[in-house]
Amino acid sequence: MHRSGPRRAALAVASTAAALLLGGAAAATASAASGPVLVDDWGPRCTTTGNLCVFETEWFTGRVALYEGVDTGCTTAPFGILANINMTDRPVTFYENPDCTGASVTEPAGNFHSWKSRGPMLSFRS
């Protein structure tokens, strides 16, 4: 493990908290039905009310997929998810298999979390 990992995680959490307090204003352009938008600068876009961002690493780095309008249907992720920012108004359940089956973890609305110890999740639904 890199020694800078915990510092980057703390920075990511602090950045997310600051963005939540300031209120992100950028609009997203994808829904769970239409698929994700892969983004480089996740700050304000991932903290906009109604959006869900999923991350490839537990440090909120690597590939980032942005979704708007997450619904109750099963969505297969474009990569294994190890962290999320759920700015929707509903809990989102993440699953270990690509068809919303297997072990799961549910993240509440308005929350961000990572779960390296659980392994990557491959699908989700609201």
Side-chain angles (χ1 to χ4, degrees):
M1 179 192 294
H2 298 286
R3 294 184 65 99
S4 65
R7 277 185 268 159
R8 288 195 333 208
L11 179 61
V13 170
S15 297
T16 300
L20 290 171
L21 290 172
L22 295 174
T29 58
S31 70
S34 67
V37 171
L38 297 178
V39 296
D40 293 323
D41 178 21
W42 62 266
R45 296 179 79 184
C46 289
T47 57
T48 298
T49 300
N51 290 350
L52 170 71
C53 278
V54 296
F55 298 83
E56 181 177 38
T57 75
E58 71 273 19
W59 305 115
F60 298 86
T61 59
R63 290 182 289 178
V64 182
L66 169 68
Y67 294 88
E68 181 180 57
V70 176
D71 56 32
T72 58
C74 181
T75 300
T76 301
F79 48 79
I81 302 167
L82 286 174
N84 80 95
I85 299 176
N86 177 12
M87 295 306 297
T88 70
D89 61 355
R90 299 183 301 246
V92 174
T93 301
F94 296 88
Y95 299 89
E96 70 178 357
N97 296 319
D99 60 351
C100 292
T101 61
S104 65
V105 60
T106 300
E107 298 298 335
N111 193 33
F112 58 96
H113 194 82
S114 66
W115 53 81
K116 180 179 180 177
S117 63
R118 300 202 65 143
M121 299 294 173
L122 301 177
S123 60
F124 62 88
R125 74 173 57 174
S126 176

